[in-house]
Every structure is written in structure tokens, then in C-alpha cells.
């Protein structure tokens, strides 16, 4: 099937946490679908290599922390200068600081909240302001924002209350923004993942824990990064023009009925 609505041609997409793993898979697929990408990460070397591989006319590397509010606005400003507009945002950047609840230090709690929840808000706000300005000026295709959540935010997780709380918070962030911005044709959705084959999930996929987790996944395997990139790019595209305020789980059936 050849459906032009699935294309991202002429769309400018900001992807946070784009240097590796899921973020890189989303950025790669967006490029293949015709988009230009503003790639955000702390890993300067990886971003610059990505730009050199894809071409300076297709990728704008932005090196910095999503937890810095000024950096979010600077990213939007530079993306608009280079590509003319921002049509999509994927809030994907993330870290983990695991510890059991009674042993978790305040710093470990705050670091994860700052990156996953506050950082997503900063970028959503900065990109959203730009999209609303365009919408008010008559642009009917204002844009699409996807917040990357997790099964940890819907079912809870052991040893990562900071991560689970932040990912649950992203569901509220999505629903509030979707309600406020629907009249401007700014769509806001969440995609939540289970266990994806990335460096961040090496511990869960280790011999010690693998059987326990796999037994709870009806499809019986881990997700590949490209498999979770596809639903994200679908929501960025015009094929999802009537979808907003939704939470899509790409997790092999781990949260059926939840």
C-alpha cells in the first residue's frame, strides 16, 4: 500500500534523546519517511556522526540537557531558523537511577523527574508555543507531539519509583495538552513501551530477570527499536490526523486490558 498520508516529507521533527537506542531509531525512520530532524542529546560525538552520515541539510544536532528550560527554547529557535518550522516533537530523552524506595536518595529522585517529566514539559511548551503561533496565523497543519512513556507508568515497577512516577506524569501531560491545544490542531499523544532491546534495558534482559519478564509478554520476545519507532512516526504523520489525547502501548501485549 502506498499512502502519502504516512509520509513525513517536508516535516521538521525534533527528537530528544536521539543519539542512540529508541531515539536514534525514531530519527532514522523519520528521515527515511522524508522528514528533517533536529536531534537533541548530551552525546556530542554521536550527534555529530549522525549529522555527517545523514547530511547537514537533513539533521541539526543540538547538544545539551533537556532539563534546562533555556535549552528547549534555543532548540526550537534554531530548528525554525534552519528548517523554517517545527511540525513534530518526540519527547524521548530519558535516564534511570534505580534504587528501592527506602534507599532512594533525593538526588536520584530529582534527576529522573527533571529529565523525563520536567524536560518533556519544557520541550512541549516551547514547541507548542511555536505551533500555536503558526495555527493562529492560519496554518491548519500545526503539528503533532508524542511523549514517550512506559509500562512502568501504567503498572508500576520495582526499584524505579522515580521512573514510574515520571512516566505516569507524562500521561497527564499528554491529556492536558491535548485538551488545551486540539482547537489549534496541535495533536498530543503518548506511546508507551515495554522492554526494548537498547542499552538501558540490559539489566532486565539479563539471564537473572529475562524469563520472568518474557513470561508476561504474550508475543514472547523483546521489541526491536525500529518496531517502536513505527507507531511514533505514524502519530507524527497525517495518517493520524484525527488522533489526539491517546495512549498507545507498543509492548507485545504486556498491558492487555490495562
Amino acid at each position: 500500500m502506498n499512502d502519502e498520508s504516512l509520509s513525513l516529507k517536508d516535516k521538521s521533527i525534533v527528537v530528544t534523546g536521539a543519539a542512540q537506542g529508541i531515539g536514534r531509531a525514531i530519527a532514522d525512520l523519520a528521515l527515511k519517511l522524508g522528514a528533517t530532524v533536529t536531534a537533541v542529546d548530551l552525546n556530542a560525538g554521536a550527534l555529530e556522526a549522525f549529522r555527517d552520515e545523514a547530511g547537514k541539510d537533513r539533521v541539526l544536532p543540538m547538544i545539551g540537557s533537556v532539563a534546562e528550560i533555556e535549552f528547549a527554547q534555543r532548540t526550537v529557535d534554531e530548528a525554525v531558523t534552519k528548517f523554517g518550522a517545527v511540525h513534530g516533537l518526540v519527547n524521548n530523552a530519558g535516564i534511570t537511577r534505580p534504587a528501592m524506595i527506602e534507599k532512594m536518595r533525593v538526588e536520584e529522585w530529582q534527576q529522573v523527574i527533571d529529565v523525563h517529566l520536567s524536560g518533556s514539559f519544557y520541550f512541549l511548551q516551547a514547541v507548542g508555543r511555536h505551533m500555536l503561533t503558526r495555527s493562529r496565523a492560519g496554518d491548519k497543519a500545526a503539528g503533532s507531539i508524542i511523549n514517550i512513556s512506559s509500562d512502568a507508568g501504567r503498572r508500576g515497577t520495582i526499584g524505579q519509583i522515580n521512573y514510574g512516577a515520571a512516566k505516569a506524569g507524562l500521561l497527564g501531560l499528554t491529556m492536558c495538552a491535548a485538551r488545551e491545544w486540539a482547537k489549534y490542531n496541535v495533536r498530543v499523544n503518548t506511546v508507551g513501551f515495554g522492554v526494548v532491546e537498547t542499552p538501558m534495558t540490559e539489566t532486565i534482559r539479563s539471564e537473572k530477570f529475562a524469563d520472568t519478564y518474557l513470561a508476561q509478554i504474550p508475543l514472547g520476545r523483546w521489541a526491536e527499536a525500529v518496531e517502536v519507532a513505527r507507531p511514533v512516526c505514524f502519530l507524527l504523520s497525517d495518517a493520524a490526523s484525527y488522533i489526539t489525547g491517546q495512549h498507545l502501548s507498543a509492548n507485545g501485549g504486556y498491558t492487555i486490558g490495562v
Side-chain angles (χ1 to χ4, degrees), residues 116-241:
H116 286 273
L117 190 54
S118 296
S120 292
F121 168 71
Y122 298 152
F123 270 78
L124 176 141
Q125 185 183 59
V127 170
R129 285 170 171 164
H130 163 73
M131 291 177 174
L132 264 59
T133 297
R134 287 181 25 243
S135 177
R136 288 166 177 151
D139 188 342
K140 295 181 179 180
S144 174
I145 296 172
I146 292 94
N147 298 312
I148 302 302
S149 186
S150 166
D151 289 338
R154 302 188 76 174
R155 291 188 47 165
T157 184
I158 295 173
Q160 294 192 84
I161 193 171
N162 47 6
Y163 182 81
K167 289 303 191 183
L170 287 175
L171 303 181
L173 195 74
T174 291
M175 291 184 288
C176 291
R179 288 188 182 277
E180 286 192 26
W181 292 348
K183 62 184 178 182
Y184 299 105
N185 205 30
V186 174
R187 298 182 293 106
V188 188
N189 293 286
T190 303
V191 178
F193 305 140
V195 182
V196 185
E197 291 181 335
T198 69
M200 191 177 288
T201 65
E202 286 180 353
T203 300
I204 289 175
R205 293 184 290 109
S206 68
E207 184 176 347
K208 181 177 180 180
F209 300 108
D211 289 346
T212 299
Y213 278 94
L214 284 171
Q216 300 176 68
I217 302 173
L219 286 184
R221 62 179 177 82
W222 315 123
E224 297 179 16
V226 69
E227 290 182 291
V228 297
R230 291 174 186 139
V232 173
C233 286
F234 162 70
L235 289 171
L236 288 170
S237 77
D238 293 340
S241 60

Side-chain angles (χ1 to χ4, degrees), residues 88-139:
L89 165 67
V90 183
N91 272 320
N92 167 75
I95 61 171
T96 58
R97 297 290 185 269
M100 300 302 282
I101 296 171
E102 72 273 19
K103 296 180 180 179
M104 183 169 287
R105 295 180 293 112
V106 171
E107 293 82 1
E108 293 169 330
W109 166 269
Q110 197 63 54
Q111 287 168 357
V112 171
I113 296 297
D114 285 347
V115 171
H116 286 273
L117 190 54
S118 296
S120 292
F121 168 71
Y122 298 152
F123 270 78
L124 176 141
Q125 185 183 59
V127 170
R129 285 170 171 164
H130 163 73
M131 291 177 174
L132 264 59
T133 297
R134 287 181 25 243
S135 177
R136 288 166 177 151
D139 188 342

